[in-house]
Amino acid sequence: MPDYKNNSHVLRLNRHLPFSSAHDQIYEEYQKDGDTLDINTKALQYLIEAVNRGAKLIVLTGDAGHGKTHLCRRLLEEYFQFQSSEARKLLLSSCDGATQIQNNKLATLKKPLRIHKDFSELDVGEAAKFLESTSLDDEYITVICANEGRLRAVISSIENGIISSKISQVFKNSFKTGLCSSDEKLHIINLNYQSIAGAQEDAPKSILSTALKSWVGDSTRWNRACEDCLAKPRCPIYRNRFLLSEQANDLGAIRSSRLEELFAIVERLGCVITLREALMAVAYLVTGGLTCEDVKNKCIKSKNDGWQSEYIFYNLAFSRPSSIPNDGLINGIPVVRDLMKLDPGKRGVREVDDRLINEANAFEHNQLDLQYTVQIGSDKKFIDGANGVDDINSNPTSKKERLVEADSITRVVSSLRRRAFFDDKVSQSGLLQRLGFKYGDIFIDILSDNFSGKKVIQYKGHLLLGLHMIQGVRLATKPNFLYLVDPAFGRATDEAAIISRQIPSDQIDLLPMRSTWKIDSQTEHFSLVSSVNWIDRHIVVRFKNSDDDYDDLILDLMAFECVLKAAAGYISEEFYSHDLKRIRNFLAKIAGKNKRGDDQISLFMSGTIHSISLDENIIQVT
Amino acid sequence: MFNGVLQSDSSGSYPGLELISFLLGSDQGMLPSNPDVKITRYGHDFARRLVRDETLAKKDIDKVLADDFSEESIRKLLRCLELELENITKQPTWSRTHFFPYTKSLSHWDSRIRAGKKEEKAMLERQYYRGAGAFAFNVLRFDPNEERLSEIKKNLEELFYPDKDSPLEFLAKTLRSHGVFDSEPTEDDVENRSREMLGDEIEELYRNGVFNILSHKSLPSVTKIKSLVNWTGIWLIIVGNLRLPSELHTNFIFDCGGQNQQLRRASQRSLKEFIKNVTLGIESAIGDREISGAGIQKIKGFFASTLASMRLINSLKGRRHFTFGLSGIEALTLAAVPSNQEMPFEHFLNSWMFDKCRFVIGRVAAQRAGLLEALDATIFEENEKRLADQVLAVGMLRVYSDATKMVCVGDINDK
């Protein structure tokens, strides 16, 4: 006879959650072999390749959670062919920088490794001493893990140190040249550039998608316990697994890729998501923080369905379930806060809403995730969201009841829109529009490889219009120049402004993030782009002053949207105040680099450019 | 008590504007050490009247502007250069209209025409410049640290006298020449009353702030001039707080997130307390002198109005509390961090914002201010994060890792 079961895989996912009492799995040092998810990231490939190519010192830097310690353990396994358990032991016992690690069986083939797995464990002075004790001529290879802030503090605490000045030089240059190394002896792998949602030709699966596939796609793990579980038809965890699994569901692959795109958008809004956070987010989206025991209790307590909807992955991504405190969720998995800001449930698109609510034929009936319980006064209803919201309507007799009814409708409509966001067959631009990014498709186009020809002219035209509008310049004709108003008029003015500088459109380039670095085939293998799973997080607008002198304006998705919205004629000053301030400051800075003669003053007024002459102390505008 | 004249008429940006008039008008160059200084004052009355005075005679306009189109164009242009005025419902008179000194020839003194004497020439007379700017001017020029003083002088010269004047400067210079100005430098009888320096940390705070603002070579001059004006206003508020007797000092509690009601109420209370303490301070400092109730109101008004202008409170009227506007954050950040240097965010909050300015934002500051007995520490932690988000969004915070947030201006690698 079927009974309630505990799935060890669900418990394992729960151990990745920061608000779970058994959250040890999120730290490499405490992981168990059976629970480990080993992802072959590009950083790991780069690390192994650098070691094999004769590197002497490798610095792994990045925020806590990017996987520095994990990379050390994987390096021990891959380089010395240690078993996982052995590598773990070494990680705890010998990765303090004092010990040279060697596999005696391979002593003639492999150079020893000296690993310091956490520079934060040392005070700055000790860390500096350690750094200077290394040499690029040592017989062993040194690997150091340090978060970026600690690394900078250590480097700047040493004066005239050979190694520290070399690290400092490579580190600073890496932002300008896009290279992790200058001589292939010293490498700095900056994991802050690592993307969890980015996919490339040589790494077609993103970190997020690998984790998702591994955790929801493994049928053995799910079937073993869940098949005979009494809660299976009513279990939101199993439902999430079903909805996201390629094997179990036709739409599983689409939904997984939508999740990936969603996280990519978050990264393109300037948020750095660590690998640990990505795993926590996936665990949260699959389980909703519930264990098998919780599901059992809920099933026993409530004979009817409806409670599950808040634990379905598409609702979890954008709203908090009642069983997890807000602080716990937001502080534990900060990316959820960023996801919540993108909620497609809050944006109405007429044709989508018509289909979901009026026609009510978008989804099959009686699906667990679309069941809701609505109680208005004493009237308790069980609603199938696939039928739309008409069944919720009742006759509220008080303000309280009206509010409950309104809240219930909002809840159901939001859920339907979220589900449609994951299920609908729409293009990427359509998806971005559902999240509120009207010009997101242009942003993606610029980042793509086929950005050339007419598109360049067209998008540059939009951008110039936007930059003009941000300065308060509304031109009557489409300009071929970027007019920069005198910074004194930097705030949008509808009246008039003096033009301080004009830049021809052909001196302005729109570049994806990676194209700002001149990387050739010789250096490509130790470039930042090759060192980690990469995503272009922003575009760069390059204003060329001469062949080798230029100014770069960085625009992430939000700032780009701000400029293009301005191009359409109106911009919300309050909402975009920070972006506008930054862009205006930048334009003011480059406006000062005026090369024009003094004999002419250009005035912008009522959509056209006039000239001011000062003759005999009399002012004439023509 | 404050060592300078603070009065509601001269609140907001006026002290900064007055300061720049002194800097640019001094007959002995920038920030002279010689106490007796004379200044050349410009009224800019022609341009100001062109914008705001319909009674300006056509014949006077025709002497300067070639035709009607030129007149209309220049009027529109000048309107964009006016100092933003808070809290006015009517169109300002021309004597109330000041240009923001984006370039040296836009700087000018107060001027007006006597009531009922419209045919008379405008005269130069203090109206909104009441001496707070002169006080700031003296604090800067009587700097005992000669190295800092000479660096400030050098940077001010670079700021206001660039190698090549901008088109706006040419235009402003022409317009200014058609207004009233001193044919000979004149002595100012208000400036000489604030020459006595106390040599305390508060004066050092101002000088260091100005030094830092001017040191940022990569920033556009407009940003630096705005920040100089804003920092002068903010510093005068700090003077108003910390030059009261020590028992009347107030910790300004800032609500950066706007989500916590307890914090909002505490912030409102601290603002009220500050204004009340100013009144108590004035009453205790009056001694035998006679100051009318309206006089005290005007001094109190200076602080409330300046706080609103500097975007340190949410509004000039209604239920007010301390919060940061972008211009306030920008001025404070530029004043705190020297060029090409980074300051840990915690240090910025605790050592700069709290120790120097008495602004409570984060947990440590709240603890030092003894606020954690009444309010939960997590409220201030959240408050701290919200401010970090705002500083990050204006590009003045670099987040290196979970534990390291550095406040910096521009690219620190740009030398």
Side-chain angles (χ1 to χ4, degrees), chain B residues 244-255:
Chain B
L244 293 172
S246 57
E247 67 277 11
L248 295 177
H249 291 178
T250 312
N251 296 312
F252 296 174
I253 303 170
F254 278 79
D255 178 5

Side-chain angles (χ1 to χ4, degrees), chain A residues 515-544:
Chain A
S515 304
T516 53
W517 297 308
K518 285 176 187 158
I519 295 165
D520 52 34
S521 54
Q522 302 261 303
T523 52
E524 198 181 355
H525 64 277
F526 54 92
S527 66
L528 280 177
V529 179
S530 310
S531 69
V532 289
N533 290 62
W534 185 263
I535 191 169
D536 281 319
R537 290 166 198 260
H538 56 245
I539 61 159
V540 172
V541 187
R542 179 162 286 177
F543 300 88
K544 289 188 272 189

Side-chain angles (χ1 to χ4, degrees), chain A residues 279-467:
Chain A
L279 296 184
M280 290 195 288
V282 173
Y284 162 72
L285 291 175
V286 176
T287 65
L290 296 174
T291 59
C292 293
E293 197 60 30
D294 294 331
V295 174
K296 174 185 159 187
N297 292 338
K298 279 181 181 286
C299 286
I300 293 169
K301 192 176 166 192
S302 172
K303 296 288 171 211
N304 298 304
D305 292 335
W307 57 268
Q308 292 93 337
S309 63
E310 63 173 336
Y311 295 101
I312 299 302
F313 81 94
Y314 52 78
N315 286 325
L316 290 168
F318 306 108
S319 62
R320 176 181 65 84
S322 51
S323 53
I324 303 176
N326 193 42
D327 283 357
L329 180 61
I330 299 300
N331 296 336
I333 315 175
V335 68
V336 177
R337 183 165 62 192
D338 298 295
L339 288 173
M340 283 175 177
K341 290 178 192 164
L342 297 173
D343 188 359
K346 286 182 182 161
R347 289 187 60 81
V349 181
R350 174 121 192 208
E351 55 269 32
V352 177
D353 284 357
D354 262 350
R355 198 160 43 83
L356 300 177
I357 301 161
N358 296 339
E359 295 166 19
N361 58 5
F363 306 113
E364 282 175 28
H365 295 274
N366 299 320
Q367 293 188 71
L368 180 69
D369 52 300
L370 294 175
Q371 305 303 307
Y372 304 89
T373 312
V374 174
Q375 180 150 16
I376 300 171
S378 56
D379 186 12
K380 194 172 186 178
K381 292 179 177 179
F382 300 101
I383 306 292
D384 184 353
N387 294 326
V389 291
D390 290 350
D391 295 344
I392 301 175
N393 292 337
S394 57
N395 291 315
T397 53
S398 64
K399 187 181 174 188
K400 192 180 167 191
E401 287 182 14
R402 278 201 306 277
L403 288 174
V404 172
E405 187 187 80
D407 280 348
S408 306
I409 291 174
T410 309
R411 186 158 55 96
V412 176
V413 171
S414 296
S415 296
L416 292 171
R417 285 175 181 167
R418 289 168 188 161
R419 169 96 189 250
F421 172 82
F422 283 98
D423 283 14
D424 283 357
K425 285 176 184 147
V426 283
S427 63
Q428 192 172 30
S429 64
L431 286 181
L432 281 157
Q433 289 210 3
R434 286 199 195 178
L435 299 176
F437 296 101
K438 198 175 169 190
Y439 303 98
D441 52 333
I442 299 183
F443 184 86
I444 302 294
D445 252 0
I446 296 173
L447 295 180
S448 70
D449 293 334
N450 58 357
F451 176 58
S452 58
K454 267 189 181 174
K455 273 185 184 172
V456 178
I457 309 289
Q458 190 190 348
Y459 296 164
K460 219 189 271 185
H462 287 317
L463 187 92
L464 291 187
L465 277 175
L467 293 176

Side-chain angles (χ1 to χ4, degrees), chain A residues 17-34:
Chain A
L17 292 173
F19 33 81
S20 155
S21 53
H23 65 286
D24 52 348
Q25 284 309 293
I26 50 181
Y27 300 103
E28 175 69 31
E29 290 89 332
Y30 309 116
Q31 278 180 359
K32 293 167 194 161
D33 286 348

